[in-house]
Amino acid sequence: METVQSIKQRFEIIGNDPKLNRAVEKAIQVAPTDISVLVVGESGVGKESIPKIIHSLSHRKHGKYIAVNCGAIPEGTIDSELFGHEKGSFTGANNAREGYFEVANGGTIFLDEVGELPLTTQVRLLRVLENGEFIKVGSSQVQKTNVRIVAATNVNMFDAIEKGKFREDLYYRLSTVEIGLPPLRERKEDIHLLFRKFASDFAHKYKMPAIKLDDDAVKYLQNYRWSGNIRQLRNSAEQISVLETKREISLQTLLSYLPQEGSQLPSVIGGKKAENDFSTERDILYKVLFDMKSDLNDLKKLTLELMKNGSKVQDINPNLIQKVYGKSDEETFFEEQPRNAIIPKAEEIEQEEFEDDEDDNNYLFAETVEEEEILKLEQKEIELIKKSLEKNKGKRKAAADELGISERTLYRKIKQYDL
């Protein structure tokens, strides 16, 4: 059996982090078997190296090795890509096609970003894992395949299972052995080593001297978060190698190529929202409360005008009615108000709370009027209708005009109150 160090040299895996060495060791141990493997880790940590190691050390090393990026294939065609299709099975299927599981028979398939697979495809994949059977799209014939599956994902599979995005039974079939690769920020001692390797490679590629970091730049490099992991480190090394004329790189120069951590978007850590998310929700709550405060203020103004104008709706600003009730119908006051609504006496409107309404922070209108001095709206309506009918000698049309309502509404009120 090959050693961890020899395998790392063979596949150009750089670093001496214990977690990295353990991942390589597990890959070497499971390679001779046919059990399925799930490689987990953040994007950019180099998960694609593990299935290559497993395939090269297995008895399938002379068979085909196919790497499939599940997240890059459209949902409508991924079944055809993986399992093949028959001629005429869908629009554009002019010829029959072999899928990856048929082509890689006797070899290894690496399913990268397996967490992105549609649920229907997950069912088909589960069948392949359980008994090696699959059916082409548009066919009814069951076919057999002898393929080893190594999958990789950068998503939290348990969260995906809980949200119904990934089948639990498929997860346990894929993860017979789980190999985790650590993020670059947990491999501080390897960061400068990797940077020097990349700088050397690019110096050779572009035929120029290799760049070198000063001590302060090295310290910052090792303590930087590296959200994009090795991929981000490699890109940064290439940028600096090509764009900088000086080969000695200072901290100030390095900073100009790295996004500052404070400018990064808020992220979800450990299933909890970042602090900035709560700030956003708080702002929304404040806006809702201020809107409620404004609505209540408008309602108080409407009531005040109603009192001052002797409850005649036609004398009230229609824009104010529309603002409060959402419409300017002249019958709003009589038609929309609940039977048990209450309204204060006209004498109470001169209270200081109404006079300084704009600046008053106390918006509890009920507290400005003594409870025992409140009259029911129903009694006020009866009183107004009686006075109007008496004034107009029982003529309903004239009384309705004076009250600002339709004759039909007045008739209904008379019948309702048995006047």
Side-chain angles (χ1 to χ4, degrees):
M1 180 181 287
E2 296 191 53
T3 65
V4 171
Q5 195 62 34
S6 63
I7 289 296
K8 285 163 62 177
Q9 291 177 352
R10 179 175 164 187
F11 290 91
E12 296 185 341
I13 298 174
I14 299 171
N16 296 306
D17 182 79
K19 293 180 181 178
L20 176 65
N21 291 339
R22 177 56 182 159
V24 175
E25 184 182 349
K26 289 173 74 173
I28 295 171
Q29 289 175 328
V30 302
T33 70
D34 276 335
I35 58 180
S36 55
V37 178
L38 180 64
V39 186
V40 297
E42 295 180 7
S43 178
V45 296
K47 296 187 291 294
E48 64 279 355
S49 298
I50 300 299
K52 291 178 182 178
I53 294 172
I54 293 173
H55 177 71
S56 66
L57 299 180
S58 70
H59 61 85
R60 300 172 180 270
K61 61 184 177 182
H62 299 298
K64 284 188 175 293
Y65 171 81
I66 298 179
V68 184
N69 189 331
C70 301
I73 305 175
E75 184 174 342
T77 61
I78 192 165
D79 283 353
S80 172
E81 293 287 327
L82 293 177
F83 308 105
H85 64 257
E86 296 291 351
K87 181 180 179 180
S89 58
F90 54 86
T91 304
N94 300 321
N95 297 292
R97 181 185 182 281
E98 292 182 342
Y100 295 135
F101 279 97
E102 188 173 357
V103 173
N105 189 21
T108 305
I109 286 185
F110 170 45
L111 298 177
D112 196 10
E113 297 187 33
V114 72
E116 304 295 329
L117 282 176
L119 288 172
T120 53
T121 307
Q122 292 178 32
V123 176
R124 288 173 173 264
L125 180 58
L126 182 62
R127 184 174 183 180
V128 175
L129 286 164
E130 287 179 342
N131 48 36
E133 296 179 350
F134 70 94
I135 301 176
K136 285 186 175 182
V137 176
S139 174
S140 58
Q141 181 180 356
V142 177
Q143 294 183 238
K144 299 283 287 186
T145 185
N146 179 19
V147 172
R148 182 182 194 166
I149 296 176
V150 180
T153 182
N154 59 5
V155 302
N156 187 316
M157 297 301 281
F158 291 107
D159 285 348
I161 291 170
E162 187 176 345
K163 294 175 182 177
K165 295 181 179 180
F166 202 84
R167 292 179 62 96
E168 187 174 9
D169 49 0
L170 177 58
Y171 166 73
Y172 288 113
R173 292 290 302 188
L174 287 172
S175 62
T176 306
V177 172
E178 188 171 292
I179 299 177
L181 287 173
L184 189 58
R185 60 183 171 275
E186 294 181 7
R187 299 168 51 191
K188 293 186 182 296
E189 299 301 321
D190 294 341
I191 294 176
H192 189 214
L193 192 64
L194 283 163
F195 186 88
R196 287 166 53 193
K197 172 64 168 63
F198 294 145
S200 176
D201 290 345
F202 293 128
H204 179 74
K205 178 179 180 181
Y206 299 118
K207 296 179 174 57
M208 58 177 64
I211 57 174
K212 182 180 179 182
L213 301 177
D214 65 20
D215 292 341
D216 290 337
V218 170
K219 289 179 182 178
Y220 188 85
L221 193 80
Q222 292 176 329
N223 291 301
Y224 189 71
R225 180 170 177 79
W226 297 111
S227 300
N229 293 292
I230 298 174
R231 189 180 295 121
Q232 183 186 4
L233 180 65
R234 186 180 187 278
N235 290 345
S236 298
E238 186 170 16
Q239 286 184 60
I240 298 171
S241 297
V242 173
L243 298 178
E244 288 300 318
T245 55
K246 295 181 179 180
R247 299 289 90 183
E248 183 77 21
I249 306 301
S250 66
L251 174 59
Q252 194 63 33
T253 302
L254 178 64
L255 287 172
S256 65
Y257 288 93
L258 298 179
Q260 297 306 302
E261 297 182 12
S263 65
Q264 295 175 354
L265 295 174
S267 59
V268 176
I269 302 172
K272 297 181 179 179
K273 294 183 179 179
E275 185 177 351
N276 288 346
D277 292 344
F278 290 114
S279 176
T280 302
E281 291 182 1
R282 186 169 60 245
D283 291 342
I284 294 173
L285 181 58
Y286 283 157
K287 185 179 183 304
V288 172
L289 291 175
F290 280 126
D291 288 343
M292 292 173 61
K293 162 185 168 182
S294 178
D295 292 343
L296 187 58
N297 200 27
D298 292 335
L299 183 61
K300 289 164 65 177
K301 289 180 180 178
L302 176 63
T303 307
L304 179 61
E305 287 202 29
L306 192 63
M307 296 296 169
K308 288 183 176 180
N309 290 286
S311 302
K312 293 184 180 180
V313 178
Q314 67 269 26
D315 295 331
I316 298 177
N317 184 350
N319 293 329
L320 185 58
I321 297 177
Q322 187 173 15
K323 191 174 182 182
V324 175
Y325 291 104
K327 62 179 182 177
S328 57
D329 190 346
E330 64 176 5
E331 297 182 17
T332 297
F333 177 74
F334 288 97
E335 294 289 336
E336 303 294 338
Q337 295 300 316
R339 290 287 304 276
N340 60 350
I342 56 177
I343 195 165
K345 287 184 177 180
E347 302 90 79
E348 301 294 332
I349 64 174
E350 301 299 332
Q351 292 185 20
E352 184 178 352
E353 288 81 0
F354 287 116
E355 294 173 354
D356 297 323
D357 192 335
E358 294 291 333
D359 301 320
D360 193 351
N361 290 324
N362 182 8
Y363 293 93
L364 298 177
F365 174 69
E367 294 182 3
T368 65
V369 183
E370 293 296 331
E371 192 171 324
E372 60 270 15
E373 296 179 350
I374 294 176
L375 295 175
K376 288 186 178 180
L377 177 61
E378 184 177 296
Q379 295 173 344
K380 187 69 175 178
E381 274 190 349
I382 294 172
E383 182 182 345
L384 289 172
I385 292 172
K386 281 183 178 180
K387 287 182 179 180
S388 183
L389 287 171
E390 290 175 2
K391 180 179 177 182
N392 292 282
K393 299 180 180 180
K395 295 180 180 179
R396 290 200 298 266
K397 182 171 177 53
D401 290 342
E402 183 180 22
L403 291 169
I405 61 176
S406 66
E407 188 176 356
R408 185 182 63 180
T409 300
L410 178 59
Y411 178 78
R412 180 166 56 80
K413 296 289 184 181
I414 292 172
K415 187 175 180 181
Q416 177 183 342
Y417 298 136
D418 195 21
L419 299 178

